[in-house]
Amino acid sequence: MRLLLGPGLLNLINTALVYAVVVPLLIYTDAVLAMITLVALPLLVIGGRAIGRRMYEDSKEAQDRLGNVSSKVQENLTGIATVRVYRREAEEERTFRAMNDRFVEVNMRLARSRGLMFPLMGLCGAVGGIMLLWQGGLRLMDGRMDLGTFVAFNAYLTALTWPTIALGWMISLVQRGFAAMDRINDVFTAVPGIVDGPLAPAPFAGKLEIKDLTVAYKEGQPP
């Protein structure tokens, strides 16, 4: 949540402002060439949504697994005397290792999802540059576009490169932040099981009496 509300929110606003300013400038400079160079944007949106949904699920599961591992460590540290008395060291070690392996497995899935996001954003920027060199070069050679317009269009398109690449990082932060917020909301929305108001005393009748009771740990020992 800290990363989402800090650098994530800052870069999200920055990217939105850059797109809001640069895309109209591209269209104003050459509407047809703008549509050609921005042809990869639908791919960015579709791919970003698909990978983002997977990242949300993996991020939430990874946080759940981390919580389970942390709870297990806390239980073993606070109950270390009980573990040693009942000689449960090996069993607890096997349990912890299995939980840790599952935690690593989920994090590896999350890393693969994040690894797909950044190349996808970079690919969208590269496609725009290739289309500009192809179609813009043809327009430049046959006189439909002058050199100054080509250079200006290239500068505008270059201004979109970093915000587009940073968008992959921001989508990752957003999905991790949403997963974290869901876990926090589980605490905020939890309904306590304690009944409000004073509890009525349970009715009790009769009495409990113990007579002539002795206890010895072993037979033959004094009570």
Side-chain angles (χ1 to χ4, degrees):
M1 289 301 299
R2 176 180 59 83
L3 290 174
L4 173 61
L5 297 177
L9 184 60
L10 179 64
N11 281 277
L12 186 63
I13 295 174
N14 178 58
T15 299
L17 288 175
V18 170
Y19 267 89
V21 172
V22 173
V23 171
L25 286 174
L26 289 173
I27 296 174
Y28 176 77
T29 303
D30 192 318
V32 176
L33 188 57
M35 295 299 103
I36 294 174
T37 54
L38 298 178
V39 68
L41 280 181
L43 174 65
L44 184 149
V45 175
I46 296 173
R49 288 189 62 183
I51 300 176
R53 189 180 306 112
R54 178 178 171 183
M55 289 175 62
Y56 167 80
E57 295 172 355
D58 290 342
S59 181
K60 191 172 188 306
E61 185 176 355
Q63 294 178 32
D64 290 338
R65 296 290 186 186
L66 178 59
N68 294 338
V69 171
S70 301
S71 298
K72 189 64 177 177
V73 171
Q74 182 184 12
E75 289 175 3
N76 282 333
L77 290 177
T78 56
I80 190 169
T82 304
V83 172
R84 296 187 64 183
V85 165
Y86 289 97
R87 302 186 61 82
R88 297 276 301 175
E89 296 95 331
E91 180 64 27
E92 292 298 322
E93 184 179 347
R94 283 193 296 270
T95 302
F96 176 77
R97 184 180 293 113
M99 295 175 66
N100 218 14
D101 289 343
R102 289 193 293 268
F103 175 55
V104 171
E105 179 185 351
V106 174
N107 272 280
M108 291 301 296
R109 288 208 314 263
L110 180 59
R112 285 192 290 269
S113 299
R114 295 177 64 187
L116 287 174
M117 184 66 73
F118 293 104
L120 175 64
M121 302 301 150
L123 176 64
C124 291
V127 168
I130 293 172
M131 298 303 292
L132 172 62
L133 291 176
W134 176 32
Q135 292 296 319
L138 292 177
R139 289 166 176 266
L140 193 62
M141 288 188 294
D142 60 19
R144 288 181 294 166
M145 175 182 286
D146 58 77
L147 183 60
T149 303
F150 180 85
V151 172
F153 196 96
N154 181 63
Y156 296 148
L157 195 62
T158 302
L160 289 179
T161 302
W162 167 246
T164 302
I165 295 175
L167 191 61
W169 176 69
M170 285 182 288
I171 291 176
S172 172
L173 285 185
V174 168
Q175 297 304 327
R176 291 168 60 189
F178 284 170
M181 195 65 228
D182 283 347
R183 286 172 53 83
I184 295 174
N185 281 332
D186 288 341
V187 179
F188 287 162
T189 59
V191 179
I194 301 175
V195 180
D196 294 334
L199 298 177
F204 179 78
K207 61 181 180 179
L208 181 64
E209 186 176 323
I210 300 176
K211 292 182 178 181
D212 302 325
L213 175 64
T214 58
V215 177
Y217 284 106
K218 289 182 180 181
E219 188 178 356
Q221 289 188 352

